[in-house]
Amino acid sequence: MKAIFIIPFLLLCSLVTYGQQHKQTLTNLEKAYQAEANASRRYEMFSKKASEEKQEQIARLFRAVSKSESIHMQNHKRAIEKIGGTPSKIMYQKVKVETTRDNLKEPIEGEKQETESLYPEFVRIAKQENAKQAVQSFTYAMEAEAQHEKLYKDALQHYGRNKKMDYYVSSVSGSTIAVEPGKPAPKPKHPNEKYMLIK
């Protein structure tokens, strides 16, 4: 009879210990999960504003980045669950929608910070805590944010005369790639990966 109770108790203890081993990574995943969810929503709103201002190329860019951020959000969610956590309810922040030109300026510094400081630190800690899925999720996001920063800078630099481009987003990593219309989609690099054309 004692064995019946001992086994579940041992399993519970192992789960608690497992979670404690990844305590800081779990906190970082939760921060990133919330941030990516808010970014996805914010860029979707920016996309609608760009459409209103007849800036359809930039509207497509914002939609592509919004999709990318939603993939990062889901990756972070799965990583949280993998190490025994439960994603908290998403707390959406108030979004101030400006002109499309200003909406392009606003995220550039944020994407730069995520690429150069935030995600590299999250990756470092996740490696220390041997949280492999978190390392992968953070790395995917970090690499895509660098792409977003470059795309936003280019769109701002050529504002009003933006070259028509197609945007593809990886279903696995959220990688966001601009391709000239009529050119083939990027080739998948990961198992079960698809590059989605964002309309």
Side-chain angles (χ1 to χ4, degrees), residues 17-141:
T17 302
Y18 187 66
Q20 289 174 342
Q21 289 174 344
H22 305 93
K23 185 176 180 180
Q24 187 57 51
T25 294
L26 198 56
T27 297
N28 293 341
L29 279 167
E30 180 62 37
K31 289 178 181 178
Y33 173 65
Q34 294 286 335
E36 299 290 0
N38 273 277
S40 179
R41 176 172 174 264
R42 182 168 61 254
Y43 295 148
E44 186 62 35
M45 294 171 74
F46 288 176
S47 173
K48 291 178 181 177
K49 180 64 175 179
S51 291
E52 290 174 6
E53 295 184 347
K54 310 301 181 185
Q55 297 289 339
E56 284 303 327
Q57 184 61 42
I58 296 174
R60 283 195 291 273
L61 172 58
F62 278 131
R63 283 196 293 273
V65 177
S66 174
K67 181 63 177 179
S68 173
E69 307 292 22
S70 72
I71 290 168
H72 298 157
M73 178 190 72
Q74 291 301 322
N75 286 344
H76 294 336
K77 179 181 179 181
R78 285 190 287 270
I80 289 171
E81 294 168 343
K82 178 70 175 180
I83 59 178
T86 301
S88 62
K89 181 180 178 181
I90 295 171
M91 303 298 291
Y92 287 115
Q93 300 168 352
K94 185 176 180 180
V95 178
K96 186 177 181 180
V97 180
E98 304 280 3
T99 65
T100 297
R101 187 189 291 272
D102 287 335
N103 290 339
L104 279 171
K105 293 177 183 177
E106 185 266 338
I108 290 174
E109 186 58 36
E111 301 285 351
K112 181 182 178 70
Q113 183 181 6
E114 289 180 351
T115 301
E116 296 183 356
S117 58
L118 183 71
Y119 274 124
E121 179 66 6
F122 285 0
V123 169
R124 183 187 67 79
I125 293 171
K127 285 180 177 178
Q128 285 182 345
E129 296 185 349
N130 197 32
K132 294 180 180 179
Q133 189 161 342
V135 171
Q136 186 67 85
S137 187
F138 289 148
T139 300
Y140 282 156

Side-chain angles (χ1 to χ4, degrees), residues 8-21 82-84:
F9 176 75
L10 290 175
L11 287 172
L12 178 61
C13 287
S14 66
L15 287 172
V16 171
T17 302
Y18 187 66
Q20 289 174 342
Q21 289 174 344
K82 178 70 175 180
I83 59 178

Side-chain angles (χ1 to χ4, degrees), residues 50 106 155 164 176:
E106 185 266 338
K164 187 173 181 180
T176 311

Side-chain angles (χ1 to χ4, degrees), residues 163-168 178-186 197:
K163 185 178 179 181
K164 187 173 181 180
M165 301 291 284
D166 288 335
Y167 297 107
Y168 287 88
V179 176
E180 291 184 8
K183 295 291 181 68
L197 174 63

